[in-house]
């Protein structure tokens, strides 16, 4: 059975597409069979490609995210995905508020999967410069590695 993971930030143009890319890379490296996507709780950037700085950061790390397109979280996502991973506490609270009764999705913060970083938000680089995207990349990569390790251990 294929596991499914959705990464969620506010606009789905910076943090969550980078988290999706980092987790795709880690799943490929570790051989995890997993469906991966990203979305935003807001609707400002629907259909837009990731921020050009996010694309540049991914490219520097060997990944092309130029074909990703922003979308908004839907009620169906709570039935479709096993794990919905928020990038900060506000988005996690919004997800908990919109989670339908009886949904199968387990909600968590990405950095909950990194020892010593539980409860922390992934840095939001949107209003900063290019260097902020490198910080975000380091955090989503650490989160992706921790999440993949936990999923791998749970699957035996």
């Amino acid at each position: 059975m294929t596991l499914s993971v959705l990464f969620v930030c506010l606009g789905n143009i910076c943090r969550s597409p980078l988290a999706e890319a980092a987790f795709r890379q880690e799943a490929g490296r570790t051989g995890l069979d997993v469906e991966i996507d990203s979305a935003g709780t807001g609707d400002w950037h629907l259909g837009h490609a990731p921020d050009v700085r996010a694309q540049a950061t991914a490219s520097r790390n060997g990944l092309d995210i130029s074909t990703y397109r922003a979308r908004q979280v839907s009620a169906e996502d709570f039935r479709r995905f096993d794990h919905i991973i928020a990038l900060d506490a506000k988005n996690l609270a919004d997800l908990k508020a919109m989670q339908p009764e009886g949904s199968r999705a387990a909600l968590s913060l990405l950095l909950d999967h990194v020892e010593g970083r539980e409860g922390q938000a992934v840095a939001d680089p949107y209003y900063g410069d290019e260097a902020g995207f490198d910080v975000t990349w380091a955090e989503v990569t650490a989160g992706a590695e921790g999440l993949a390790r936990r999923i791998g251990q749970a699957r035996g």
Side-chain angles (χ1 to χ4, degrees), residues 3 5 11 35 80 86 93 102 106 128 146 153-154:
L3 196 69
V5 179
E35 175 189 353
R80 178 177 164 205
Q153 290 169 349

Side-chain angles (χ1 to χ4, degrees), residues 57-104:
T57 300
S59 182
R60 281 193 306 278
N61 289 281
L63 301 166
D64 179 7
I65 62 171
S66 64
T67 60
Y68 291 15
R69 292 295 176 262
R71 71 176 189 85
Q72 192 170 19
V73 174
S74 70
E76 174 59 26
D77 289 327
F78 291 92
R79 290 182 286 280
R80 178 177 164 205
F81 290 94
D82 298 299
H83 297 276
I84 299 180
I85 311 292
L87 282 288
D88 62 47
K90 171 69 169 113
N91 284 295
L92 181 59
D94 289 345
L95 289 165
K96 286 179 178 178
M98 63 180 14
Q99 186 173 24
E101 189 75 26
S103 93
R104 75 181 196 157

